Amino acid sequence: MAAPPSKVRRVVQKFCEEYSKTWSFITASKKGEEYAFCTFCDADIKIACGARSDLERHIKTPKHVTCAKSSASTRSITSMFGNKKSNEEDKVRKAELMFANFLVEHNLPLATADHAGELFRNMFPDSDIAKKFRCGRTKARQLVSEISSDYKKTLVTKLDRQPFSLSTDGSNDKGSEQLNPLVVRYFDESAEKVVTDVLSVATPNGGSTGENIFMALDTELKAAGLSWDNCISFGSDNANVMLGKEKGVMAFVLKQNKNVHIQGCPCHLLHIAAKKGASKLNSNVEEALIDVFHYLENSTKRMKSLQVFQRITGTALRKILKHGPTRWLSLQCVERLLEQWDALFAFF
């Protein structure tokens, strides 16, 4: 009787310095010797099975090609300021980065940066950092670009190794191009909570058809090196172009991953139901909101008189909002009217 075949012993490949000499962007990984780290993609690569072949396979992926082009075409923040390092220069760089981030956070025009340097030097004449602060609109634009690029790389790295939800909606911008922001929702291990981020903004080519919108979304995901396999749900409004079973975006998403959960927007459904219900009321709510606003807005005397009744009824001293046709703005107007109801009732 023949002896049973002996088990083939598996040889585990480990990282060696030769890989860094061959590819300057490949370094040792903190995860262990069975991994390598790609500085372009900011990602760990498992090399336990194929070593060089695993690295060569990674280099050919769309994600690496995109990151490599981005790294080659844009200057890093460090190279932009020069290679000289000192404690004071680092403080100046930090101040310029914080200011660029401030402009974005508060949605201020980048042209504001042209006047900030002189202002800071006049405000803080004793500060060496203010004296060396040089951040006009050109540098601010480059800093914002670098910050956003770095943030997106970090976000893509997180999404690449875990499930995420994707949602989108067409912008109401009246420009020549339709914009579809890609909003992702995922569990952030470092923050230990579910977070929501904007991945990118897609621009469909041609008309806003289901296929064109899907192709724009698909292009953005592929450019980031992300797969539909990791997408567990897709959210949108309830229009046919989005949730149509034959030619809606939903149909094309399900072709990529049949397990994706499709979630329509419940707010749209609630709005339709509320609109139908409001049409059965004896009075027109929208007309009432408009009449109350204009009656008060056109007279300072009436607004002061209303404040008296607000104090008497213990109501917050707040203005009556102007009605807006957009559903969420309209809802805020109704909420404000109800909040001020006792004061308005006494006033009228």
Side-chain angles (χ1 to χ4, degrees):
M1 187 174 180
S6 60
K7 293 183 179 179
V8 179
R9 187 179 178 183
R10 178 171 169 265
V11 179
V12 178
Q13 302 291 337
K14 296 181 179 180
F15 180 83
C16 62
E17 294 299 329
E18 292 182 6
Y19 302 152
S20 297
K21 295 178 181 179
T22 306
W23 302 287
S24 58
F25 49 85
I26 297 295
T27 61
S29 171
K30 295 180 180 179
K31 293 185 69 174
E33 294 181 338
E34 297 179 15
Y35 291 85
F37 184 78
C38 177
T39 56
F40 283 170
C41 304
D42 193 25
D44 294 293
I45 311 152
K46 191 171 183 179
I47 59 172
C49 296
R52 281 184 173 274
S53 59
D54 290 334
L55 293 173
E56 290 171 353
R57 193 181 303 113
H58 168 78
I59 293 169
K60 295 177 182 178
T61 60
K63 176 182 176 180
H64 179 85
V65 173
T66 303
C67 293
K69 288 181 180 178
S70 175
S71 178
S73 60
T74 30
R75 293 180 297 165
S76 66
I77 294 176
T78 306
S79 63
M80 178 178 167
F81 291 118
N83 294 323
K84 238 176 151 186
K85 290 190 175 180
S86 70
N87 190 34
E88 190 172 289
E89 286 182 350
D90 287 342
K91 290 179 180 179
V92 175
R93 295 172 193 172
K94 183 179 179 180
E96 292 171 341
L97 282 167
M98 290 174 67
F99 178 69
N101 192 65
F102 171 82
L103 294 177
V104 175
E105 183 180 356
H106 295 278
N107 198 26
L108 298 174
L110 295 179
T112 307
D114 288 342
H115 311 278
E118 189 64 31
L119 175 64
F120 293 157
R121 284 186 283 277
N122 291 329
M123 290 172 63
F124 312 108
D126 298 332
S127 172
D128 292 333
I129 296 176
K131 291 177 183 177
K132 294 185 179 181
F133 184 92
R134 297 290 185 274
C135 187
R137 73 175 77 185
T138 303
K139 182 183 283 188
R141 185 183 298 111
Q142 182 67 25
L143 289 175
V144 170
S145 175
E146 291 288 346
I147 292 171
S148 62
S149 177
D150 184 67
Y151 184 83
K152 184 175 180 179
K153 285 181 181 179
T154 303
L155 176 60
V156 169
T157 302
K158 294 178 181 178
L159 298 177
D160 189 40
R161 56 175 184 258
Q162 67 173 341
F164 61 86
S165 297
L166 178 68
S167 60
T168 188
D169 191 14
S171 68
N172 55 4
D173 185 15
K174 303 302 180 184
S176 59
E177 292 183 333
Q178 175 74 30
L179 303 177
N180 282 81
L182 275 73
V183 179
V184 291
R185 192 169 173 83
Y186 63 98
F187 180 77
D188 190 337
E189 294 180 357
S190 58
E192 296 185 349
K193 63 179 181 179
V194 176
V195 297
T196 303
D197 270 318
V198 177
L199 176 64
S200 62
V201 178
T203 305
N205 292 324
S208 295
T209 64
E211 184 175 6
N212 288 342
I213 294 174
F214 168 77
M215 291 302 297
L217 302 181
D218 187 54
T219 300
E220 291 296 323
L221 285 182
K222 287 181 178 177
L226 299 176
S227 171
W228 284 101
D229 293 337
N230 287 356
C231 181
I232 58 175
S233 69
F234 175 77
S236 69
D237 60 26
N238 305 291
N240 286 333
V241 70
M242 300 303 294
L243 299 186
K245 294 183 179 180
E246 299 296 332
K247 295 184 178 180
V249 176
M250 176 187 75
F252 294 98
V253 170
L254 291 176
K255 287 180 181 178
Q256 297 294 320
N257 183 358
K258 63 180 181 180
N259 296 317
V260 173
H261 172 72
I262 306 297
Q263 176 64 57
C265 179
C267 295
H268 285 74
L269 300 178
L270 288 171
H271 174 254
I272 294 171
K275 190 174 182 179
K276 291 290 183 182
S279 65
K280 301 299 180 182
L281 297 175
N282 294 328
S283 59
N284 190 308
V285 178
E286 291 185 358
E287 288 184 4
L289 290 169
I290 295 170
D291 291 343
V292 171
F293 171 80
H294 285 292
Y295 182 77
L296 295 168
E297 184 71 12
N298 295 332
S299 172
T300 304
K301 181 180 178 181
R302 293 169 188 165
M303 293 178 70
K304 286 186 176 180
S305 180
L306 175 61
Q307 289 182 353
V308 174
F309 286 99
Q310 286 174 328
R311 292 189 180 95
I312 292 173
T313 57
T315 308
L317 297 177
R318 304 175 76 178
K319 288 185 177 181
I320 302 301
L321 298 177
K322 184 178 181 180
H323 174 260
T326 308
R327 61 181 64 86
W328 50 87
L329 298 179
S330 179
L331 182 61
Q332 299 233 350
C333 297
V334 174
E335 288 178 347
R336 179 62 60 84
L337 189 74
L338 293 175
E339 175 197 281
Q340 299 290 324
W341 183 262
D342 290 340
L344 289 170
F345 187 83
F347 170 78
F348 284 108

